[in-house]
Amino acid sequence: MGSTDDADNTEAADICCASCGIAEVDDIELKNCDDCDLVRYCSDTCQEDHRPDHEAMCKERAAKLRDEILFKQPESSYLGDCPICCLPLSLDPKKSVPYYCCSKLACKGCTTANMMRQLDDEGAPNGCPFCRQLYSKSEEESERQNKKRFEANDPLALREAGMKHFGDGDYDGAFEYFTKAA
């Protein structure tokens, strides 16, 4: 009988004001404690009256919530996820490969797997692992493809133009392209 009563008391505590005990009904809406979300109050006055009884538990729970938020790992990096394997892209630029044909950034693992597939299957076309577009055969074709992406205001192409200007020492031009890419 004790476990059923405990469950009923916990449920009742969830829907009653922690200070005065007024139940949450159609007319009365209870607000959660701002810091810990463990208790509810019908008014600011009840919250202030109950603060001395609740303060220690509230601080402990608030610290636990802060730690959970602080130490929680992000779901992905700011670069996003690899469009093929859906794993977060590494922050290290050497561990991802840009593909200008489809404006995707793929991880090295998927790029390597694509190369292995092409080596194993001699008839397999040599192309992008995401969109399967064939790689450019000449530098001229590659430049034409990049120019097309650049004219479409593709962020990856704009970033690449910025990197080219940065490498040449044209920092103002690089800044302009990086700004457009962002």
Side-chain angles (χ1 to χ4, degrees), residues 10 14 22 29-30 48 57 69 74 82 84-85 109 126 130 133 142 144 155-156 162 173 176:
T10 304
D14 285 345
I22 293 178
E29 187 175 320
L30 301 178
E48 289 172 16
M57 183 175 61
I69 292 168
C82 174
I84 300 166
C85 66
N126 190 15
F130 185 74
Q133 181 174 335
S142 178
R144 204 173 32 241
L156 204 55
E176 181 182 329

Side-chain angles (χ1 to χ4, degrees), residues 2-77:
S3 63
T4 308
D5 289 339
D6 290 343
D8 290 341
N9 289 341
T10 304
E11 189 176 313
D14 285 345
I15 56 173
C16 293
C17 176
S19 181
C20 65
I22 293 178
E24 182 173 44
V25 290
D26 294 336
D27 298 344
I28 299 173
E29 187 175 320
L30 301 178
K31 299 183 297 183
N32 285 337
C33 174
D34 295 331
D35 295 326
C36 70
D37 291 333
L38 288 177
V39 295
R40 295 180 179 192
Y41 300 102
C42 63
S43 67
D44 291 337
T45 307
C46 279
Q47 187 172 6
E48 289 172 16
D49 291 345
H50 190 250
R51 185 174 308 280
D53 298 335
H54 175 64
E55 193 167 11
M57 183 175 61
C58 184
K59 283 184 180 180
E60 183 180 324
R61 173 71 177 153
K64 194 180 282 187
L65 288 174
R66 249 190 328 272
D67 286 349
E68 284 177 16
I69 292 168
L70 181 63
F71 294 112
K72 182 179 177 184
Q73 292 293 320
E75 302 226 353
S76 65
S77 72

